[in-house]
Amino acid sequence: MKSIVILISGRGSNLQALLEARLPCRIAAVISNRADAAGLKIAQQHGIATHIIAHQDYSDRDAFDTALAASIDHYQPDLVVLAGFMRILTAQFVARYRGRLINIHPSLLPAYSGLDTHRRALHDGVKIHGCTVHFVTDDLDHGPIIIQAAVPVLMNDTAATLAARVLHQEHRIYVQAIRWFCNGHLSLSAQGKVLLQRIEQPGCTLIMPGLE
Ligand code: GRF
C-alpha cells in the first residue's frame, strides 16, 4: 500500500476530507509550518502523527526546505500532498519530489494563480470559477493539471459564498486525484505530461447564466 504525507498551514478542511475518504493508502504523517494550524488537531483526532516545522525557526528558505524534506523523508512517502500549505517551496525541494508532489488551488488554473482568488474572480465578473489539482513544479501554481471542477458564480455571491461552493468541490477532486495516484492510475511523464489511465470521460456543459 502506498503512503502519503500531507503538508498544511491552517484550517485543514481538505485534510479532513482526505482523512474521511478511506483512501487506499496510509496517511503516514501531517506536517505543518504553523503550530496553531487547526488541521493539526484534526490529524491527531484521527491518530495521525503530526510534526511542526516552523518556518520562522530557519534563517532562509533553503534551510526551512531542508528541514521539511528531512521530516518528510523519514516516512519515505510515495506522495506528498499540499493541502493549504502556504509556503513557496524552493526549486530544489520541488525537484526532489518531482512527480510525487501535488497541490490544490482554489481557481480554474491558469486563471487566478496566487492569493485571494475568489475576490479577484468576483471583481472580474467571471461566470464560472472553480478549483484545480496539479503536480507541483517550480512554476508557481502552473504545474501539470490533473483534475479541475467548475462551479457557477451566482448573482449574489460574496467571496465567502463562492469560496464555500468551490471548497466543497476541492474536497471531491482532491480525494479523486489521490485515489488515482494510490491505485497506480496517475503519474507524471518524463516530459512533464499528466498520464491518467482512465477511459471514461463523461462531459457536461456548464453555461452561466443558463440559456432560456
Ligand atoms: C484551500 O482553499 C486550498 O485550495 C488552498 O488553501 C485552502 C486550504 O483550506 N490551497 P483548508 O486548510 O484545506 O481548509
Side-chain angles (χ1 to χ4, degrees):
M1 186 181 265
K2 291 201 162 95
S3 79
I4 68 177
V5 165
I6 302 176
L7 308 191
I8 62 166
S9 298
R11 180 178 56 183
S13 74
N14 276 287
L15 166 68
Q16 180 155 17
L18 300 180
L19 288 168
E20 289 172 358
R22 298 171 168 271
L23 287 164
C25 63
R26 195 169 79 83
I27 300 181
V30 170
I31 303 172
S32 173
N33 65 310
R34 296 181 57 115
D36 61 354
L40 288 169
K41 284 208 181 66
I42 298 172
Q44 284 153 9
Q45 280 158 8
H46 283 78
I48 309 287
T50 59
H51 300 276
I52 298 159
I53 311 285
H55 56 274
Q56 65 269 23
D57 291 350
Y58 297 87
S59 53
D60 57 25
R61 231 177 250 291
D62 277 330
F64 171 70
D65 279 11
T66 301
L68 185 61
S71 181
I72 293 169
D73 291 351
H74 173 75
Y75 293 97
Q76 306 226 310
D78 298 281
L79 182 67
V80 178
V81 173
L82 306 182
F85 185 69
M86 300 303 286
R87 299 297 297 173
I88 294 174
L89 297 161
T90 56
Q92 202 186 357
F93 182 98
V94 169
R96 183 187 189 92
Y97 299 103
R98 188 188 182 283
R100 51 195 192 102
L101 178 61
I102 62 174
N103 182 44
I104 186 146
H105 183 79
S107 77
L108 287 175
L109 291 171
Y112 306 115
S113 58
L115 297 173
D116 214 7
T117 56
H118 310 304
R119 192 194 54 76
R120 288 158 59 209
L122 282 177
H123 177 264
D124 287 346
V126 299
K127 301 293 178 248
I128 296 173
H129 186 45
C131 47
T132 303
V133 178
H134 63 96
F135 281 106
V136 177
T137 63
D138 52 16
D139 193 1
L140 184 68
D141 290 337
H142 287 285
I145 292 172
I146 299 165
I147 184 171
Q148 297 183 301
V151 305
V153 179
L154 304 181
M155 231 107 68
N156 295 325
D157 264 335
T158 62
T161 58
L162 184 55
R165 192 173 309 115
V166 171
L167 191 64
H168 182 63
Q169 300 307 320
E170 289 187 32
H171 298 163
R172 302 178 70 202
I173 66 172
Y174 221 3
V175 164
Q176 177 65 82
I178 294 167
R179 195 179 293 282
W180 281 331
F181 188 94
C182 293
N183 286 335
H185 294 156
L186 168 67
S187 61
L188 186 66
S189 77
Q191 292 74 31
K193 295 269 177 257
V194 171
L195 302 177
L196 181 59
Q197 291 162 21
R198 184 155 195 267
I199 297 154
E200 270 179 77
Q201 296 192 73
C204 64
T205 304
L206 176 58
I207 299 179
M208 270 308 290
L211 304 177
E212 283 188 4

